[in-house]
Amino acid sequence: MSGSATSAGPSAPQAIPDAGQHVDNAQFIGWVAMVVGMFLAILDIQIVASSLENIQAGLSASPDEIGWVQTSYLIAEVVMIPLSGFLSRLFSTRWLFVMSAIGFTVMSIASAFAWSIESMIWFRAAQGFLGGAMIPTVFATTYIIFPPEKRNGASVMIGLIATMAPTIGPTLGGFLTQSLSWHWLFLINVVPGLLIAAVVALTLRIDKGDRSLLKGFDLTGLLAMAVFLGSLEYVLDEGPKDDWFDETAIIYGTITCVIAGVFFFWRMFSYDKPIVDLKSFSDRNFTMGCIFSFTLGIGLYGSVYIMPLMLSRVRGYDSLEIGMIMAVTGVAQFLSAPIAGRLTAKFPPRVVLGIGLVLFATGLAMHGFNTSEVSFNELIFPQIVRGAALMFCMLPITNLALGTLPPEKIKNASGLYNLMRNLGGAIGMAAINTLLDKRIDYHFSLLSEHINPASNAFKEYLATVIARYSEMGIADPHAAAMKFIVNLVNREASIISFNDVYLAMAVTFFIAFLLLPFAKPPRAQAAGGGGGH
């Protein structure tokens, strides 16, 4: 890849003047605005997830209905991400991002003023679809406008923003709902969303759209992709709640996913103008980068999901207390970002990624020995390790996946690369929920064996608790004591199960580490400190 990076697409690309030595100031400002837009899109998912109960109360929704506020957004977003490569070639990167930012903002306003759960679900689906292009276009633009020697600094900023949003999301969501109302979870996007769209429209000119791509547009492939990815996201999101194939809808969703998936892949390899070009996977480094991106998605979204769940279930913490604890990860990411950037510039991506995968596995494994009395002091060091590891993983993975591809493949490949991280998060959380439920049942059954009237230890403890409740004047101290003991057993079963999940995630990262030799050392022109200097 030469220093003068050009745009992708069949149309005559607009070259970037002297890109090998200099990035135009206007383009740089536009790129920064795009990164902020990416931050808004990622943050939105997290702050809404932290306050679903408030939205449920405000819209008088049932527990089954409220989950669709997130599911509809994620299904729509996961369809747009791989489609963004085609749309950026059709409209140009600039106008696709501008349309995406405006659509995201308008649907944020609509969501804030939703009058029913049904209207909220539709507005969230539109918000996810329209805003879904903001994330992959940032990655593609980075590898178009920045010369190889400057991509590390740009990647540091992207990685920091992409990983900070899930960390601060629960804290910000809790603050907005407690201080203002749940409507501000969406209204907070309005002013920055419009400013971002305006700045990008005025500054970013890196390519031109090619309307001729509409000739032979693969509408069949688009519908197959939408059904395939949409049904996959639905099954992964709803499966654990409904005990998977015990629910008829999950069975039908799985059948639909398999049929649509087989047809989609056949179509992409047989049609002359596929909606998504899967030939990028013929590049071994891109394929390995996508595998590592998938693994990172499991760790990034899984750890951000399971920590609040553990602290609320086992310790009874509220969203603000949880947010304060999780902020440690964000601070560690911020402090480790420049170190990761320098190491990625000096050493081959495989070396830095190896360090990151081992650190991430270590940070997760350290959480695998928590007790039911776990508090901030016990959680701080594992979170520091995990937060630092995120940056050591994200930068070399991006360079490994996209750094050796020719410019004309970057846009399409960026969508696939980001899709793999999202799928990793979706599949990871489905696996986490399933494993957690199974392990809680297993450990509860083991521990409940000790609630045995024939056990002297149990009889002595029960007598102590009954005596305590009798002194408190409780009407039925025996029933109260038994309820307390059952809750105690459930709490201990829960924390042991959370530990099991953390250890399983650690094993996943260790397996990814073992796959590193399958990635080739990047060529000398690869981004981010390739090869051997």
Side-chain angles (χ1 to χ4, degrees), residues 9-170:
S11 61
Q14 184 177 344
I16 298 171
D18 197 24
Q21 304 297 325
H22 176 68
V23 178
D24 182 77
N25 288 336
Q27 290 180 14
F28 179 76
I29 292 171
W31 176 81
V32 171
M34 291 178 75
V35 173
V36 177
M38 178 190 72
F39 175 78
L40 276 184
I42 299 174
L43 182 68
D44 183 81
I45 300 173
Q46 304 302 324
I47 62 175
V48 172
S50 69
S51 303
L52 284 177
E53 292 181 0
N54 302 83
I55 299 174
Q56 179 183 342
L59 296 176
S60 300
S62 69
D64 291 335
E65 292 173 325
I66 196 62
W68 278 95
V69 172
Q70 284 294 81
T71 302
S72 61
Y73 183 100
L74 295 172
I75 288 175
E77 183 187 51
V78 84
V79 172
M80 170 54 79
I81 287 176
L83 182 61
S84 63
F86 171 82
L87 293 178
S88 63
R89 297 194 303 272
L90 178 66
F91 296 116
S92 81
T93 303
R94 172 173 62 145
W95 290 119
L96 174 61
F97 188 92
V98 169
M99 289 186 291
S100 184
I102 292 175
F104 176 83
T105 304
V106 170
M107 287 302 113
S108 293
I109 297 173
S111 298
F113 292 100
W115 57 89
S116 65
I117 186 62
E118 290 80 12
S119 62
M120 172 65 82
I121 290 170
W122 282 108
F123 291 148
R124 285 286 284 168
Q127 186 187 23
F129 185 78
L130 294 173
M134 286 197 284
I135 298 173
T137 50
V138 172
F139 284 86
T141 302
T142 301
Y143 280 81
I144 291 174
I145 72 171
F146 286 95
E149 64 272 15
K150 293 184 179 180
R151 288 180 190 149
N152 274 330
S155 296
V156 167
M157 185 171 178
I158 290 177
L160 189 61
I161 292 296
T163 53
M164 281 286 284
T167 305
I168 69 172

Side-chain angles (χ1 to χ4, degrees), residues 382-459:
Q383 288 198 100
I384 290 173
V385 173
R386 186 162 48 83
L390 269 174
M391 300 310 299
F392 284 88
C393 287
M394 179 162 279
L395 303 187
I397 288 176
T398 305
N399 289 338
L400 198 65
L402 303 179
T404 59
L405 291 175
E408 66 272 10
K409 290 187 176 182
I410 289 291
K411 292 181 181 180
N412 180 75
S414 176
L416 294 172
Y417 168 74
N418 283 277
L419 174 65
M420 292 303 292
R421 188 173 62 250
N422 280 32
L423 286 180
I427 292 174
M429 284 191 284
I432 286 170
N433 284 325
T434 302
L435 180 61
L436 192 61
D437 289 343
K438 300 295 184 186
R439 298 304 287 178
I440 287 176
D441 291 341
Y442 172 73
H443 288 298
F444 185 87
S445 66
L446 288 181
L447 294 176
S448 61
E449 292 177 2
H450 297 283
I451 307 178
N452 185 349
S455 167
N456 290 329
F458 171 70
K459 287 191 290 187

Side-chain angles (χ1 to χ4, degrees), residues 188-211:
I188 194 176
N189 297 325
V190 176
V191 173
L194 294 176
L195 286 175
I196 288 163
V199 171
V200 172
L202 293 172
T203 58
L204 194 76
R205 289 175 174 82
I206 60 173
D207 55 11
K208 295 179 181 179
D210 182 8
R211 300 297 188 275

Side-chain angles (χ1 to χ4, degrees), residues 310-311 313-317 369-375 488 490-496 499:
M310 181 188 73
L311 292 174
R313 283 192 189 180
V314 176
R315 299 291 288 145
Y317 288 175
F369 303 93
N370 291 325
T371 69
S372 57
E373 300 299 322
V374 66
S375 62
L488 187 64
N490 188 61
R491 185 188 71 178
E492 295 304 315
S494 295
I495 192 63
I496 298 172
N499 291 347

Side-chain angles (χ1 to χ4, degrees), residues 314-388:
V314 176
R315 299 291 288 145
Y317 288 175
D318 62 29
S319 58
L320 283 178
E321 291 174 313
I322 293 170
M324 292 300 293
I325 292 176
M326 295 186 67
V328 173
T329 306
V331 173
Q333 290 167 204
F334 182 81
L335 295 177
S336 65
I339 300 172
R342 289 184 180 182
L343 287 178
T344 306
K346 290 184 178 181
F347 298 98
R350 294 193 304 175
V351 173
V352 183
L353 179 55
I355 296 172
L357 292 172
V358 170
L359 282 176
F360 211 117
T362 302
L364 290 170
M366 292 170 70
H367 283 304
F369 303 93
N370 291 325
T371 69
S372 57
E373 300 299 322
V374 66
S375 62
F376 180 84
N377 291 335
E378 291 83 25
L379 295 172
I380 183 170
F381 187 63
Q383 288 198 100
I384 290 173
V385 173
R386 186 162 48 83

